[in-house]
Amino acid sequence: MSQNDCLHIDSTNVLPFVDRERIDEKAELARAVARQLERREGPGSDFLGWLDLPVAANGPELSRMEDLAEQAGQDSDVVVVIGIGGSYLGAEAALSALCDLTSGPEILFAGTHLSSPALSRMLRRVEGRDIRLVVISKSGTTLEPAAAFRLFRDLMVRRYGRENAARRITAVTDASRGALRSMSDEEGYETFVIPDDVGGRFSVLTPVGLLPLAIAGLDVRALLGGAAAMRERCAGADLWENPAHLYAAARSALYDEGYWVEVLSSFHADVGPLQEWWKQLFGESEGKEERGIFPASCRFTTDLHSLGQYLQDGRRELFETFLMVDGGQPDLVVPLDAAEPGGVDLDRDGLAYLVGRSLDDINTKAFEGTRNAHTDGGVPNLTITVPTLDERVIGSLFYFFEKAVAISGRMLGVNPFDQPGVEAYKKEMFRLLGKPGA
Ligand code: PA5
């Protein structure tokens, strides 16, 4: 693994709360579960295709995605990606984290809710601009993206005519099943397939994530390269070198001690959507059979001025995982408060002691201060640090978290690859809406 992929986990602040021997025992279990996964055994073993995606996704389909991305760059100002849950969170996470590296058409995400003011605003926002749609749904029947697709399809057909609109619509869906597949075949949309053995929340390294990222001008080969390097690293046997095992073992040990809420905290404003992706991945994979760690997130320092009080002083059943970026980001320096450039510092805001210090450095001190205070306040914590935000690092983070939750969910005794609970509200909603057969 190159230096650039060096994700590091610091578990020092777990040890005051959990015995080291307990983590070692959990590590044994993590290793056994990982071996079971690698043998494609155990609950949900039909959904382990994601394990090999870093290598398997690097085929001819990838070139086709890159070709489409080039075409979109030439003929479109904006590309609307329509999908919900696992069908958009990964792409949004990478796009936000890598926003300084993107180029090409603007990417908008639709179909993520049923709120009409926001959707109307988006429909107005694309008026008069050349547009493409990428509609993503594995089942092809999810209500939110299907409704948004109808609205955007209507707009496209009115603007370009049916045939030309079809040339601007790409579907990412199942190979043979679902309404989106049938419609794509009927209308002649270009399509990409979501493999049968990859569930929605594990699909970011399929066309679900790769196609929008390629359109945004990101290097998807580097992203897969980072994931492939992490795949190798997560196959190792040494707990302290294998981040997926260490993370799963520490989480499981904490859960046994009664810490059932995990807060993923970050001091980097652009990783908010990555935290949302993580919440879906962990929440849907572990929260079942009345078990599971509840995944929450905080964006610091913003949330230190709201949820900081609870974290410091509220019920002591939560632990924290800090997701930190070491550097390599554009940095700002605190300037003088002077009447003219280079003049005397007037220090009207009391910040003279910070003049010349970088904002990154101040942010790091905010992190260190927060971590110390939370540890003292009884919040066990882990720190995951990556050296920078680029495609390789984001690919490695995706794979690391996927492998960790697969191990962690199995250690908990649940099937991490199903989501029976998400059907309950749909059944009730469809009944109320009068859907035929509901
Ligand atoms: O992880 C999951 O399976 C879900 O979040 C789905 O991704 C989400 O419900 C969207 O489903 P679909 O892609 O079938 O429209």
Side-chain angles (χ1 to χ4, degrees):
M1 175 168 284
S2 80
Q3 191 57 28
N4 250 11
D5 307 313
C6 282
L7 177 153
H8 176 258
I9 301 192
D10 179 353
S11 57
T12 316
N13 292 332
V14 171
L15 296 177
F17 303 89
V18 178
D19 291 343
R20 167 84 191 241
E21 299 78 65
R22 196 74 193 113
I23 297 185
D24 285 334
E25 278 165 35
K26 290 288 184 181
E28 270 306 309
L29 188 56
R31 262 194 293 274
V33 164
R35 278 197 295 271
Q36 187 196 46
L37 283 167
E38 279 145 21
R39 288 196 304 268
R40 308 293 190 273
E41 290 169 3
S45 54
D46 287 351
F47 286 93
L48 293 176
W50 57 272
L51 277 168
D52 299 324
L53 284 174
V55 179
N58 209 336
E61 289 283 272
L62 195 61
S63 309
R64 198 156 63 84
M65 284 182 239
E66 288 166 334
D67 291 346
L68 194 145
E70 201 181 323
Q71 184 62 39
Q74 286 163 14
D75 66 22
S76 302
D77 305 311
V78 56
V79 175
V80 181
V81 176
I82 300 175
I84 196 166
S87 289
Y88 94 102
L89 283 163
E92 192 187 45
L95 272 179
S96 173
L98 304 175
C99 55
D100 287 331
L101 306 179
T102 57
S103 57
E106 184 184 7
I107 308 279
L108 299 176
F109 291 96
T112 64
H113 54 71
L114 292 167
S115 167
S116 81
L119 196 51
S120 311
R121 215 173 300 126
M122 195 175 286
L123 286 159
R124 285 198 303 275
R125 191 164 159 186
V126 302
E127 259 169 34
R129 302 169 77 191
D130 271 318
I131 173 174
R132 272 181 175 267
L133 299 184
V134 175
V135 53
I136 306 176
S137 176
K138 187 172 186 207
S139 62
T141 53
T142 309
L143 178 60
E144 294 89 336
F149 184 37
R150 263 205 189 209
L151 287 157
F152 276 98
R153 200 165 65 236
D154 181 54
L155 177 150
M156 299 277 285
V157 171
R158 280 189 284 108
R159 174 148 348 134
Y160 296 107
R162 186 171 169 184
E163 262 181 42
N164 285 331
R167 290 196 191 101
R168 290 176 167 270
I169 297 174
T170 306
V172 180
T173 190
D174 188 85
S176 57
R177 283 180 301 244
L180 182 57
R181 165 53 59 191
S182 336
M183 197 188 301
S184 303
D185 293 345
E186 194 179 315
E187 296 287 329
Y189 303 151
E190 178 160 15
T191 60
F192 292 89
V193 168
I194 309 173
D196 271 350
D197 56 358
V198 180
R201 60 189 172 276
F202 289 86
S203 67
V204 63
L205 301 180
T206 71
V208 170
L210 298 177
L211 180 59
L213 298 181
I215 292 173
L218 292 169
D219 183 349
V220 287
R221 290 177 192 269
L223 190 104
L224 288 172
M230 183 53 77
R231 178 172 175 258
E232 251 175 64
R233 191 168 162 202
C234 289
D238 179 352
L239 174 71
W240 304 99
E241 290 302 318
N242 185 324
H245 290 194
L246 178 55
Y247 185 42
R251 293 176 86 251
S252 179
L254 286 163
Y255 183 67
D256 286 355
E257 294 295 320
Y259 296 98
W260 64 276
V261 178
E262 178 177 11
V263 182
L264 185 70
S265 295
S266 172
F267 284 75
H268 198 295
D270 297 329
V271 307
L274 185 64
Q275 291 167 289
E276 297 304 312
W277 172 83
W278 171 90
K279 281 198 276 195
Q280 188 214 10
L281 182 68
F282 280 74
E284 274 193 0
S285 300
E286 292 190 327
K288 45 198 78 161
E289 298 173 38
E290 301 191 2
R291 280 178 252 179
I293 295 173
F294 182 81
S297 65
C298 278
R299 301 183 192 193
F300 292 154
T301 58
T302 309
D303 290 337
L304 287 172
H305 300 262
S306 60
L307 291 169
Q309 171 61 38
Y310 193 103
L311 290 171
Q312 190 65 45
D313 257 354
R315 287 181 69 134
R316 301 297 73 185
E317 289 161 336
L318 51 88
F319 67 99
E320 200 166 15
T321 299
F322 293 101
L323 178 56
M324 298 304 298
V325 184
D326 218 10
Q329 310 303 311
D331 201 3
L332 296 172
V333 168
V334 179
L336 284 175
D337 173 30
E340 63 209 50
V344 179
D345 193 341
L346 303 172
D347 195 22
R348 288 167 296 182
D349 49 11
L351 293 187
Y353 73 105
L354 292 177
V355 168
R357 284 185 84 162
S358 81
L359 216 53
D360 251 10
D361 179 30
I362 298 169
N363 204 21
T364 302
K365 293 292 174 267
F367 155 61
E368 288 168 4
T370 304
R371 183 167 63 172
N372 292 346
H374 288 182
T375 310
D376 292 345
V379 181
N381 56 79
L382 295 142
T383 303
I384 298 170
T385 308
V386 292
T388 187
L389 289 177
D390 64 15
E391 288 94 335
R392 281 190 72 85
V393 166
I394 292 298
S396 72
L397 270 173
F398 281 144
Y399 197 87
F400 154 67
F401 279 128
E402 287 177 354
K403 188 79 189 278
V405 80
I407 295 172
S408 189
R410 288 256 180 108
M411 286 170 77
L412 198 63
V414 300
N415 173 0
F417 308 112
D418 65 2
Q419 53 284 326
V422 300
E423 295 310 314
Y425 92 89
K426 287 187 196 168
K427 212 170 144 204
E428 191 57 16
M429 173 181 73
F430 287 135
R431 189 185 64 75
L432 292 169
L433 286 170
K435 183 179 179 181

